Amino acid sequence: MKIIKSLLVLSCTILLISCFGFSNKKQGNQQAIYTPQEHTKVAYFASGCFWCVEAIFESVNGVEEAVSGYAGGNTLNPTYEKIGTGKTGHAEAVAVYYNPKKVSFETLVTVFFGSHDPTTVNGQHPDYGTQYRSIAFYKTAEEKQIIDNAINKLNKDVYNGKIVTEVKELKRFYKAEEYHQDFEKRNPNQSYVKAVSVPRLNRFKKKFPELLKKDTH
């Protein structure tokens, strides 16, 4: 599956370069550049392919932007090719920029655990490897406590102690290559997106309709 995905990425990279360039956001022929506001906070999560995770968080009311990237390891300046080896220590992760007046960190943790299987070691079907492992990152003691509380409750009420999600302090987040940003939105007919990303997003939307933006796609 990793080989197939890599080939798909290569073909889509060429397509995106020729059609879109490497700008982060596009609306028609106009480039839309996101600028965090004074109130904006950032949360970081990893739960499988970041194309899927980014799309899920961007559908949540109060989330202003989600950026695909790499975190959780020690390798400096990781690339998608290096990540694919599973030897960098990093996972595909997403930085979630949110308005705390509209959505809380606790709710984002609920979205995280509610949109993937936290009992799967090193992967989310059909992607497996350390780069696809489940990680909830924290920057403060309060965030760590919220994550720990969620894990304790889910282990007791739902997963019978089987959650394998790592809880790690965020050291550094590396933004992924531009062609990965908004990949699901920009490539709705790509085979992986149709087979994996869109169904995962739709399962999340069905499970948490009260959290969605009104204009979510």
Side-chain angles (χ1 to χ4, degrees), residues 81-154:
E81 288 72 25
K82 291 179 181 177
I83 287 289
T85 67
K87 298 178 180 179
T88 66
H90 290 294
E92 292 191 8
V94 171
V96 182
Y97 292 78
Y98 68 100
N99 183 344
K101 294 182 180 180
K102 294 183 177 181
V103 62
S104 66
F105 180 79
E106 186 172 10
T107 296
L108 296 179
V109 170
T110 297
V111 170
F112 167 71
F113 282 111
S115 58
H116 79 295
D117 182 357
T119 69
T120 302
V121 177
N122 291 336
Q124 295 295 304
H125 184 76
D127 302 303
Y128 294 94
T130 58
Q131 67 271 34
Y132 298 115
R133 69 192 189 277
S134 174
I135 312 175
F137 294 95
Y138 66 89
K139 295 178 295 179
T140 67
E142 180 182 6
E143 289 181 349
K144 183 180 187 301
Q145 188 62 60
I146 289 172
I147 296 167
D148 287 340
N149 289 345
I151 290 175
N152 290 337
K153 181 172 176 54
L154 287 169

Side-chain angles (χ1 to χ4, degrees), residues 7 11 27 62 67 73 85 91 104 134 174 181 194 212:
L7 291 173
S11 62
Q27 294 178 342
V67 175
T85 67
S104 66
S134 174
Y174 294 89
Q181 309 304 326
K194 290 173 68 175
L212 302 177

Side-chain angles (χ1 to χ4, degrees), residues 21-207:
F22 277 119
S23 58
N24 188 23
K25 303 292 175 184
K26 287 282 185 176
Q27 294 178 342
N29 293 323
Q30 300 298 315
Q31 179 178 351
I33 300 175
Y34 169 72
T35 302
Q37 304 301 306
E38 208 171 301
H39 61 254
T40 304
K41 291 188 175 183
V42 192
Y44 301 86
F45 302 98
S47 58
C49 174
F50 50 21
W51 299 345
C52 307
V53 183
E54 179 190 282
I56 287 169
F57 277 103
E58 285 193 338
S59 73
V60 175
N61 187 41
V63 172
E64 299 173 351
E65 176 67 297
V67 175
S68 290
Y70 313 114
N74 297 313
T75 301
L76 298 177
N77 302 314
T79 64
Y80 189 69
E81 288 72 25
K82 291 179 181 177
I83 287 289
T85 67
K87 298 178 180 179
T88 66
H90 290 294
E92 292 191 8
V94 171
V96 182
Y97 292 78
Y98 68 100
N99 183 344
K101 294 182 180 180
K102 294 183 177 181
V103 62
S104 66
F105 180 79
E106 186 172 10
T107 296
L108 296 179
V109 170
T110 297
V111 170
F112 167 71
F113 282 111
S115 58
H116 79 295
D117 182 357
T119 69
T120 302
V121 177
N122 291 336
Q124 295 295 304
H125 184 76
D127 302 303
Y128 294 94
T130 58
Q131 67 271 34
Y132 298 115
R133 69 192 189 277
S134 174
I135 312 175
F137 294 95
Y138 66 89
K139 295 178 295 179
T140 67
E142 180 182 6
E143 289 181 349
K144 183 180 187 301
Q145 188 62 60
I146 289 172
I147 296 167
D148 287 340
N149 289 345
I151 290 175
N152 290 337
K153 181 172 176 54
L154 287 169
N155 265 332
K156 179 181 178 182
D157 298 343
V158 181
Y159 293 112
N160 194 29
K162 296 180 181 179
I163 289 178
V164 296
T165 298
E166 294 179 23
V167 181
K168 301 190 69 169
E169 182 177 7
L170 182 80
K171 298 298 184 180
R172 184 168 181 178
F173 176 85
Y174 294 89
K175 183 180 177 183
E177 296 83 347
E178 291 295 336
Y179 65 85
H180 287 300
Q181 309 304 326
D182 276 345
F183 195 92
E184 185 264 353
K185 286 182 182 178
R186 291 162 63 171
N187 300 275
N189 294 316
Q190 197 253 23
S191 58
Y192 182 94
V193 169
K194 290 173 68 175
V196 181
S197 300
V198 171
R200 182 172 169 182
L201 175 61
N202 287 338
R203 288 194 297 272
F204 168 74
K205 291 194 293 186
K206 184 176 181 180
K207 189 175 181 179

